[in-house]
Amino acid sequence: MNKLLDRLEEIIISALMAVATIVIFISVVHRYASGYEIPVVQDWLLDMNVGWAQEFCIILFVWMAKFGAAYGVRTGIHVGVDILVNKLSGTPRAVLIHIGLVCGVIFTALIGLFGAFFVWENGMAYETLSLFGRDTGDYFEGPTTPDLEWPTWIVYSAVPLGSFLMCYRFLQVMVSFARSGELPTHDHGHVEGLDEEDDENVLLEGEAISIAEDIEHARGGQPDAKRPGQGK
């Protein structure tokens, strides 16, 4: 189940990034291309309405940020101040880490709850009750976005969904740390798709310079000196 959730999380983030990139690219090309006086083509571009692109991409980035935050907790890529934690060891270090994780759980749970209440009262309750033919009572229809005219409660749903997922990730990390004593870490120098065998064959800059100096010294300091066995 966790693997399925991990995969779904990655697919959502990747899809949001891909769609936002494509929409921004099309919008920029449309903006510049419509300035050229090309018969028929210019009229066609000017009649094309892409004014919604900015608002749509903002919505995508909001959703991307909320789900990306949960992904960051799972993979350990969030920036944190760990000077005090690294100076401690044993039980004090474990207690301090657990306190930090508990604070993360409480904070994200509260944001998720408040966000869910806000979304429910901002139009979701009206839509849900109307869908099932129930009396809407004091609930109102809710506002819509300026350009796309989407119900804002759909846009704001990213807050409770992303926060609850982030809360679950904090609980997941807490359980994993209690069992193994290790926190998820992310190596910013690692490149995805590069095998470990290839990593072993890659020379660092200092190693390459040292090898070059050894070769130069073996040749007597003459870069153009011919190797033994070569013709005169």
Side-chain angles (χ1 to χ4, degrees):
M1 187 64 184
N2 284 329
K3 291 183 179 180
L4 179 62
L5 182 61
D6 295 347
R7 187 60 177 171
L8 180 62
E9 184 181 62
E10 294 169 358
I11 291 175
I12 291 175
I13 297 173
S14 301
L16 292 172
M17 292 180 64
V19 173
T21 303
I22 294 173
V23 172
I24 292 174
F25 174 77
I26 294 175
S27 177
V28 172
V29 171
H30 172 269
R31 182 181 303 173
Y32 282 94
S34 59
Y36 293 97
E37 298 180 359
I38 304 175
V40 182
V41 176
Q42 187 181 35
D43 294 335
W44 175 68
L45 290 175
L46 292 175
D47 291 337
M48 185 184 301
N49 180 23
V50 292
W52 50 268
Q54 181 177 0
E55 182 179 281
F56 180 64
C57 289
I58 291 175
I59 295 173
L60 292 179
F61 280 118
V62 170
W63 279 73
M64 191 191 313
K66 293 303 296 181
F67 283 90
Y71 174 82
V73 174
R74 173 168 65 91
T75 56
I77 62 176
H78 280 295
V79 177
V81 180
D82 54 0
I83 297 178
L84 179 59
V85 176
N86 292 335
K87 287 183 175 297
L88 299 176
S89 61
T91 302
R93 179 177 181 273
V95 171
L96 192 60
I97 291 176
H98 276 296
I99 291 175
L101 293 174
V102 169
C103 290
V105 171
I106 295 174
F107 177 77
T108 52
L110 289 175
I111 295 298
L113 287 174
F114 290 142
F117 289 140
F118 176 79
V119 169
W120 177 256
E121 296 178 355
N122 200 51
M124 183 180 181
Y126 181 90
E127 293 291 338
T128 304
L129 295 174
S130 299
L131 180 64
F132 291 99
R134 304 290 298 275
D135 182 22
T136 57
D138 295 333
Y139 295 112
F140 63 102
E141 187 174 358
T144 58
T145 59
D147 296 328
L148 295 171
E149 296 184 352
W150 288 357
T152 56
W153 69 266
I154 295 179
V155 179
Y156 296 149
S157 296
V159 176
L161 292 176
S163 298
F164 284 135
L165 180 59
M166 197 173 179
C167 180
Y168 174 74
R169 294 305 187 188
F170 272 117
L171 291 171
Q172 204 174 23
V173 172
M174 187 185 302
V175 173
S176 176
F177 178 74
R179 292 178 177 176
S180 63
E182 296 181 357
L183 292 171
T185 56
H186 179 76
D187 183 9
H188 296 280
H190 176 70
V191 179
E192 287 292 337
L194 188 64
D195 296 334
E196 294 182 359
E197 296 179 358
D198 296 335
D199 290 341
E200 296 176 356
N201 296 327
V202 175
L203 293 177
L204 298 177
E205 182 179 358
E207 295 176 346
I209 294 175
S210 177
I211 293 175
E213 291 176 350
D214 292 341
I215 295 175
E216 198 74 19
H217 180 71
R219 292 179 178 179
Q222 299 178 0
D224 296 330
K226 295 182 179 180
R227 297 179 180 178
Q230 291 181 340
K232 296 181 180 180

